[in-house]
Each structure stands twice: as structure tokens, then as C-alpha cells.
Amino acid sequence: MIDSDSKSWVFPPPATPGVPVRGSPLLFPVHRLYCVGQNYREHAAEMGAPERQPPVFFAKPADAVCTAATLAWPGMTDKLHHEVELVVALAAGGRNVPAANALSLVFGYAVGVDLTRRDLQEAAKRSGSPWTTGKGFDCSAPISAIARVADGGHPDDAAISLSVNGEIRQQGRTGHMTWRVPEVIAELSRYFELRPGDLIFTGTPAGVGPLRPGDRVDCRVDGVASLSFRLETGDSE
């Protein structure tokens, strides 16, 4: 890592992405944004994957997080899908973290949506290419304010849901994860040195489906947080 204190920047560096903390004027600074694929049994089945397999990790840029009430339509897709997820926010990190100690790293939890250009992701899967254009686009990670563990504890088996224009699309329970939060943190720390400010989107229950310009999305994890946003109308090409 370059010692930035002894260097001058070519141009001012971008601001650190931040997420509001519920009941506080402070922002949670985002370091990295990790995601777990197919971590609910029913969703894995609907995507044609085996019921129990090692967790699939991918990443989005830190500045993919978005807290705006209205999101621009991303374009370059005919198949934009919603995936509601419990999000874990870390206040500490480490390598090779034992699952028994993993929850001690957690600052809090939020609800988020892994927006996915499914057509681009499917094309990438077929060709063996990275998922970046399908998963890592601007504002592809809408997120609620973070609820601190100190205020509400750790959700163990919370109801999770998402509706589009008032119609329920996804319903499940976080207790139905194939890999629970401590296991996800422990396994992820085998591949990356986790840091304070990391966000982990922990996977989505069954029912993922399409969105259209103008749709309103409402989602929640009971006892943790709720999130609402609308997609702008306009050209979807």
C-alpha cells in the first residue's frame, strides 16, 4: 500500500462512500462490499444450483452503495432483477477468523438489495467471464441505515421480504441461510483480510424477479431495518 501521507495527489481523491447509522449523526465508512451468491436453499434451487455448496463470493465497488430515494435506471439491460439481503457491517477485521469469534467483528446490520443485470450475468456465466457488468454497476447496492448491534443485537432468524409496487415478491427468514453469518465471515476471512468498514451482502431468498422503470421497491428485515426506493422512469436501453 502506498504511503499517501508522503505523496501529493494528481487530483483530489473521491470521498469515502458512507452509510447512515440509525439514531446517530455519524456515517459508516465503506471499505469493501462483498456479496454471497445463492446462500438460501430455495433460491439456489430456483437458480439451478445444488442445495448445499461452498459459498460463492463476489464483490461490488464500494461506491455501488446507494441511499437515495430515487435511483437512475441503469440501462444496458432488459432483465434487471431485485435480490433483497441482510447486510452485515464490520467494525473490526482480520484473517482466518474463527466462526466462534466472528460476531465480535460486527458493528451492525442493514437491509439491502443486490440489483442485478441478470441478462449480462447469465451471458458472463455462459462464457466464463467475470460478473462485473452484471453486478457491479452504479447504485447496484441500495442499502438502509445501519442498526447497531449495541442497540438491537444480532438477528438470528428474522423475516426478510421485498415487494414491488405493493406486491410481495420475496419472503423468507434469515435462519434459512445455507451459510449463517458467523460462517460467512469466517469463510470470507480465509480469502481476504477483512477490514473495518466492510459490508457483506449475505444472499437472497427465493423469488428474485424483474424490475421496470418507475417501479417502487419496499423491503425489510424484521427487527433490523426497512428500505424503500423508486426506479426512475425513462429510456431503459
Side-chain angles (χ1 to χ4, degrees):
M1 182 178 293
I2 296 174
D3 179 8
S4 60
D5 292 337
S6 63
K7 305 291 183 181
S8 296
W9 298 108
V10 173
F11 49 82
T16 300
V19 178
V21 176
R22 192 174 69 191
S24 169
L26 301 176
L27 290 176
F28 179 89
V30 180
H31 174 247
R32 289 179 178 169
L33 199 168
Y34 300 103
C35 302
V36 186
Q38 300 177 3
N39 195 29
Y40 284 74
R41 293 184 292 274
E42 292 178 353
H43 175 56
E46 75 179 352
M47 299 300 288
E51 215 173 75
R52 175 80 172 180
Q53 61 180 348
V56 176
F57 296 118
F58 61 94
K60 292 175 182 265
D63 62 1
V65 297
C66 187
T67 59
T70 303
L71 276 58
W73 181 261
M76 296 301 294
T77 182
D78 294 318
K79 205 173 182 181
L80 182 69
H81 277 199
H82 55 75
E83 300 187 10
V84 63
E85 313 207 4
L86 174 70
V87 183
V88 181
L90 301 186
R95 295 181 185 270
N96 298 314
V97 177
N101 299 341
L103 291 183
S104 67
L105 277 57
V106 178
F107 172 79
Y109 297 88
V111 61
V113 179
D114 169 16
L115 290 176
T116 302
R117 289 167 166 154
R118 189 73 71 201
D119 44 358
L120 301 188
Q121 184 197 28
E122 290 170 344
K125 286 181 177 180
R126 288 192 297 271
S127 65
S129 301
W131 295 3
T132 305
T133 57
K135 288 286 193 178
F137 51 93
D138 296 341
C139 279
S140 60
I143 189 171
S144 71
I146 296 169
R148 294 173 290 195
V149 168
D151 296 333
H154 299 278
D156 181 50
D157 186 27
I160 181 171
S161 62
L162 178 144
S163 65
V164 178
N165 302 325
E167 175 191 353
I168 291 289
R169 295 276 190 86
Q170 293 184 264
Q171 283 185 304
R173 301 195 68 85
T174 59
H176 293 168
M177 290 182 188
T178 300
W179 298 86
R180 306 296 286 273
V181 170
E183 296 173 307
V184 167
I185 294 171
E187 185 70 7
L188 189 60
S189 74
R190 296 177 59 203
Y191 295 95
F192 306 95
E193 180 179 1
L194 301 179
R195 300 286 183 88
D198 286 344
L199 294 175
I200 306 171
F201 279 56
T202 58
T204 193
V208 301
L211 293 168
R212 297 287 181 263
D215 280 349
R216 177 181 174 83
V217 177
D218 297 284
C219 54
R220 64 182 291 107
V221 174
D222 284 359
V224 175
S226 59
L227 170 68
S228 298
F229 61 88
R230 185 179 296 277
L231 290 161
E232 285 184 349
T233 57
D235 185 3
S236 60
E237 296 296 318

